[in-house]
């Protein structure tokens, strides 16, 4: 195994590196061709930026004294018209006035700086919470539909099949439009609610099929053993079938959820400012088209790979009884 | 304890109609051990599974301890509590430890307290000689050990009747004895038992009666001494010639 295999493997690793390098060089050359100027330095400000807020004089008057206090300074001033003094705090390095100076109302005295969350971070957050909300609701819909799908009651079964086929047979983009423009209008729904609703129904249908398959993959003997002990149908499901099925459906369910995060980018068409929409908006003002799209892609990749890791960990924990 | 009248179970499928249990009437008295033998496909499992309602039979009556299990007034779950069943392939719950396998139904069905259920479980696991594996998962046990746990699991419900469907058929030969020993002990303690098995030695030693089934019918019903030495039915004779 050891020496022979290793000597046979390294040329392929070498080839891999060469191919990747080739791709990178090709990409770089391609952007050179179109005279694209990379401005990566513009990207960080869309995650968070230092906002400056101008501090102005509340009245026409005179500066009594500037009290320096490290990075900040307290400016004490008194109105010409008489009345109580005011104290304004500004950043010392932006101080525009000195002791005894005369100021008019609304004159700038200095600024204060605050960290603000940029549109990319906001979009990322919207994408994450919309995905989790629809993933959670979809899981419940899927569980109920999956159980209906294998129920003995023809009405429940028929409804479940109809719902699953409708959702799986139409594109998500069309479903989002229908949900927003039709159901959303009829029920007077907020666009975010409509987006989450459409995504939930979408994952619900796929989850139902995963759960149905998971339940049916549990051997009949398990149910029979539980029933022969006097457990009811529901008790058998809760204590015997679902826990075992859950372990089996965890990988496909997680895959579905990872897909959902990517599919959620489609809600940007109904003007929900998720990660994708934020990216599009930023480009109109920054002109850093390539950089922003690459960054957006990387952010999606980041969420999905964190989830993959989490799943890997969960699977190992559940493998205890094997 | 068990009374069966004109039991009929038909399987339909792929254009075929199989009368798996065909007009069977018999009874098992309290404390009696009845062994059911017969060729493969003769309806032994189906018959046994009708006794606790795992199969919905088409006609006839099954009366367990005075309760007609097919009557609409009967709570089948309540009947099943009183009827333990042991399967050919054990069917232990793989996601639960041995101890949890034995306590689960006690807690869920009999509503016993955790401590009470655990004490009962440990006593039964000790009885079947497997207490030291209480905290293992079933996949870590041998077939014979798993089957003994399955017996303990059924006994934990304090059943009035125990049904065994070929409990040793899936076991390696060296493990058959340990399971049969547990069953023999149960029989000595006066448990009412219906056992489908190919273990003729067990039938001879423990059974009060042997039922011979073929194509869904009980063809012979006799004490083992009589059945094994002088079977009346030609098909029973042929069957015994093959297996002995
Ligand atoms: N679920 C089922 N569906 C259709 N036919 C079945 C089913 N279970 C058993 N049978 C048929 O019923 C007959 C009796 O089967 P079974 O009771 O398992 O026999 P045994 O246990 O004596 O080997 C066989 O012909 C078998 O093919
Ligand atoms: Mg059988």
């Amino acid at each position: 195994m050891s020496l022979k295999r290793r000597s046979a493997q390294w040329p392929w690793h070498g080839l891999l590196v060469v191919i990747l390098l080739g791709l990178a060089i090709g990409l770089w050359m391609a952007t050179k061709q179109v005279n694209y100027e990379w401005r990566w330095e513009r990207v960080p400000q869309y995650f968070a930026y230092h906002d400056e807020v101008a501090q102005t004089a509340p009245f026409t008057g005179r500066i009594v004294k500037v009290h320096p206090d490290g990075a900040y300074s307290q400016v004490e001033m008194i109105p010409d018209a008489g009345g109580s003094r005011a104290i304004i705090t500004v950043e010392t390095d932006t101080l525009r006035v000195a002791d005894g100076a005369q100021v008019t109302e609304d004159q700038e005295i200095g600024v204060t700086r605050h960290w603000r969350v940029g549109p990319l971070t906001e979009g990322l957050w919207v994408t994450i919470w919309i995905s989790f909300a629809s993933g959670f609701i979809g899981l419940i819909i899927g569980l109920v539909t999956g159980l209906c799908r294998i129920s003995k009651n023809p009405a429940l079964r028929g409804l479940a099949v109809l719902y699953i086929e409708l959702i799986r047979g139409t594109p998500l983009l069309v479903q989002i439009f229908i949900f927003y423009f039709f159901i959303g209008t009829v029920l007077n729904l907020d666009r975010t609610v409509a987006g989450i609703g459409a995504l939930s129904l979408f994952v619900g249908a796929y989850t139902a099929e995963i759960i149905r398959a998971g339940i049916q993959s549990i051997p009949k003997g398990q149910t029979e053993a539980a029933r022969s002990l006097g457990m009811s149908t529901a008790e058998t499901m809760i204590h015997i079938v679902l826990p075992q099925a859950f372990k089996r459906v965890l990988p496909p369910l997680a895959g579905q959820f990872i897909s959902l995060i990517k599919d959620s980018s489609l809600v940007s068409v109904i003007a929900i400012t998720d990660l994708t929409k934020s990216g599009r908006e930023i480009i109109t003002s920054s002109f850093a088209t390539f950089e922003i799209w690459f960054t957006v892609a990387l952010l999606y990749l980041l969420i999905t790979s964190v989830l993959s890791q989490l799943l890997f960990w969960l699977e190992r924990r559940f493998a205890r009884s094997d | 304890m068990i009374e069966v009248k004109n039991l009929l179970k038909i399987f339909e499928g792929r254009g075929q109609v199989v009368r798996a249990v065909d007009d069977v009437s018999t009874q098992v008295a309290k404390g009696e051990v009845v062994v059911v033998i017969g060729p493969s496909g003769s309806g032994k499992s189906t018959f046994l599974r009708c006794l606790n309602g795992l199969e919905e039979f088409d006609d006839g009556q099954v009366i367990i301890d005075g309760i007609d299990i097919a009557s609409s007034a009967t709570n089948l779950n309540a009947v099943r509590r009183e009827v333990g069943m042991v399967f050919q392939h054990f069917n232990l719950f793989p996601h639960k430890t041995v101890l949890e396998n034995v306590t689960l139904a006690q807690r869920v069905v009999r509503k016993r307290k955790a401590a009470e259920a655990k004490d009962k479980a440990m006593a039964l696991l000790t009885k079947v000689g497997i207490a030291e594996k209480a905290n293992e998962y079933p996949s870590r046990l041998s077939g014979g050990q798993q089957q003994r746990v399955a017996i303990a699991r059924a006994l934990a419900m304090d059943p009035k009747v125990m049904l065994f469907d070929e409990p040793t058929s899936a076991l390696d030969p060296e493990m058959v004895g340990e399971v049969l020993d547990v069953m023999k002990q149960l029989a000595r303690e006066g448990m009412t038992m219906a056992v489908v098995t190919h273990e003729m030695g067990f039938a001879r030693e423990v059974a009060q009666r042997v039922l011979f089934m073929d194509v869904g019918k009980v063809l012979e019903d006799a004490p083992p001494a009589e059945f094994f030495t002088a079977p009346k039915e030609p098909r029973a004779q042929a069957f015994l010639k093959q297996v002995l």
Side-chain angles (χ1 to χ4, degrees):
Chain A
M1 160 102 188
S2 59
L3 208 61
K4 224 164 95 192
R5 280 284 293 274
R6 220 179 301 152
S7 64
Q9 291 274 300
W10 75 260
W12 297 109
H13 288 300
L15 182 65
L16 177 66
V17 171
V18 169
I19 292 173
L20 289 181
L21 268 178
L23 280 174
I25 291 169
L27 197 70
W28 183 72
M29 302 267 272
T31 56
K32 271 272 180 262
Q33 284 267 299
V34 296
N35 280 325
Y36 190 81
E37 201 179 322
W38 292 94
R39 297 194 187 88
W40 282 105
E41 73 282 356
R42 288 194 181 173
V43 173
Q45 58 172 314
Y46 295 110
F47 283 98
Y49 58 98
H50 228 159
D51 192 24
E52 294 195 339
V53 177
Q55 300 294 325
T56 54
F59 43 69
T60 305
R62 190 173 52 85
I63 306 291
V64 180
K65 185 158 176 50
V66 176
H67 308 279
D69 183 11
Y72 292 93
S73 297
Q74 260 96 41
V75 179
E76 192 181 344
M77 46 190 301
I78 187 165
D80 285 347
S84 58
R85 303 176 170 206
I87 293 187
I88 292 166
T89 307
V90 301
E91 308 255 345
T92 306
D93 60 334
T94 62
L95 195 61
R96 298 258 190 96
V97 293
D99 292 3
Q102 197 66 36
V103 291
T104 53
E105 194 175 340
D106 290 339
Q107 182 183 339
E108 188 173 324
I109 291 168
V111 302
T112 51
R113 300 193 188 95
H114 305 274
W115 277 108
R116 292 237 188 270
V117 176
L120 272 182
T121 315
E122 274 173 5
L124 182 67
W125 170 243
V126 169
T127 286
I128 289 174
W129 91 259
I130 282 189
S131 303
F132 273 84
S134 4
F136 182 73
I137 302 170
L139 187 65
I140 293 169
I141 296 177
L143 188 60
V144 173
T145 313
L147 288 172
C148 287
R149 177 78 177 68
I150 52 176
S151 132
K152 286 202 185 94
N153 184 324
L156 290 178
R157 213 169 49 225
L159 279 176
V161 170
L162 184 69
Y163 159 62
I164 292 169
E165 292 306 317
L166 276 181
I167 297 290
R168 298 213 304 177
T170 52
L172 174 57
L173 192 55
V174 174
Q175 290 166 24
I176 291 174
F177 281 136
I178 291 178
F179 209 98
Y180 180 54
F181 289 113
F182 180 65
I183 301 175
T185 311
V186 171
L187 298 179
N188 196 15
L189 295 180
D190 174 64
R191 65 180 78 247
T192 312
V193 176
I196 292 175
L199 287 177
S200 304
L201 279 185
F202 176 75
V203 270
Y206 286 86
T207 306
E209 282 296 272
I210 292 173
I211 286 177
R212 177 193 60 77
I215 290 174
Q216 288 181 337
S217 76
I218 304 304
K220 255 185 107 69
Q222 290 291 306
T223 311
E224 288 180 349
R227 297 308 300 276
S228 76
L229 289 166
M231 289 193 206
S232 66
T233 321
E235 287 162 349
T236 303
M237 264 295 155
I238 293 168
H239 295 286
I240 306 303
V241 178
L242 286 181
Q244 294 184 58
F246 180 70
K247 205 166 98 181
R248 295 198 189 183
V249 300
L250 198 59
L253 221 47
Q256 190 62 52
F257 187 60
I258 287 172
S259 290
L260 169 68
I261 290 171
K262 296 178 288 174
D263 292 338
S264 76
S265 72
L266 287 175
V267 299
S268 61
V269 298
I270 54 170
I272 294 176
T273 315
D274 72 331
L275 186 50
T276 304
K277 180 111 197 309
S278 303
R280 279 215 319 250
E281 282 174 359
I282 292 166
I283 286 162
T284 58
S285 62
S286 73
F287 303 108
T289 315
F290 291 5
E291 294 87 334
I292 295 295
W293 281 131
F294 279 130
T295 308
V296 166
L298 269 175
L299 287 173
Y300 278 112
L301 192 64
L302 186 75
I303 318 177
T304 53
S305 42
V306 166
L307 273 172
S308 298
Q309 276 315 110
L310 199 70
L311 168 75
F312 181 67
W313 176 80
L314 266 181
E315 266 183 281
R316 277 222 318 239
R317 273 209 53 188
F318 278 113
R320 256 181 335 157
S321 58
D322 293 337
Chain B
M1 183 61 78
I2 307 176
E3 218 178 320
V4 181
K5 290 180 194 158
N6 306 104
L7 185 65
L8 177 68
K9 172 66 191 178
I10 299 175
F11 285 113
E12 285 176 68
R14 293 195 226 100
Q16 286 183 337
V17 176
V18 179
R19 297 171 82 88
V21 177
D22 193 356
D23 194 25
V24 169
S25 298
T26 187
Q27 71 296 311
V28 181
K30 190 166 164 40
E32 198 176 20
V33 177
V34 172
V35 163
V36 183
I37 64 174
S40 172
S42 58
K44 309 181 295 293
S45 298
T46 310
F47 170 66
L48 212 60
R49 292 155 56 84
C50 285
L51 298 185
N52 68 349
L54 273 187
E55 297 288 358
E56 291 175 10
F57 43 87
D58 295 271
D59 201 5
Q61 269 185 319
V62 173
I63 296 162
I64 304 281
D65 202 19
I67 299 168
D68 181 350
I69 71 166
S71 153
S72 56
T74 303
N75 174 1
L76 199 49
N77 293 331
V79 176
R80 285 186 182 134
R81 271 173 228 171
E82 315 295 337
V83 182
M85 186 159 200
V86 175
F87 301 85
Q88 181 175 0
H89 296 288
F90 332 135
N91 299 352
L92 291 181
F93 307 132
H95 62 304
K96 304 256 176 221
T97 63
V98 165
L99 184 64
E100 289 165 347
N101 263 276
V102 185
T103 54
L104 179 69
Q106 296 190 63
R107 307 261 290 125
V108 174
V109 178
R110 292 277 191 211
K111 311 286 184 217
R112 290 181 188 146
K113 296 267 175 296
E116 188 193 353
K118 188 180 170 196
D119 288 348
K120 174 107 198 170
M122 286 313 295
L124 285 169
L125 288 173
T126 308
K127 181 174 171 179
V128 300
I130 205 153
E132 75 281 4
K133 302 277 187 189
N135 294 313
E136 296 275 12
Y137 282 94
S139 56
R140 304 281 298 272
L141 269 52
S142 74
Q145 292 171 326
Q146 290 192 45
Q147 194 59 298
R148 286 185 280 149
V149 173
I151 294 173
R153 177 177 71 177
L155 290 175
M157 304 302 288
D158 297 316
K160 295 179 180 144
V161 180
M162 285 285 281
L163 309 175
F164 293 83
D165 189 3
E166 303 201 24
T168 56
S169 298
L171 298 179
D172 291 337
E174 74 270 21
M175 294 172 187
V176 170
E178 64 193 50
V179 172
L180 289 181
D181 285 345
V182 170
M183 292 169 62
K184 284 174 194 166
Q185 193 192 339
L186 262 185
R188 276 198 300 276
E189 291 169 2
M191 177 63 76
T192 310
M193 292 161 65
V195 184
V196 174
T197 187
H198 295 296
E199 295 295 329
M200 300 305 164
F202 176 84
R204 270 208 191 92
E205 190 184 331
V206 183
Q208 271 90 57
R209 280 159 54 214
V210 174
L211 303 188
F212 175 76
M213 278 188 83
D214 197 10
V215 288
K217 290 187 184 299
V218 172
L219 295 183
E220 194 148 353
D221 178 349
E226 200 175 301
F227 177 79
F228 286 113
T229 47
K232 292 189 201 78
E233 279 287 323
R235 268 188 280 189
Q237 290 163 4
F239 176 74
L240 283 178
K241 215 171 262 158
Q242 270 177 1
V243 296
L244 291 180

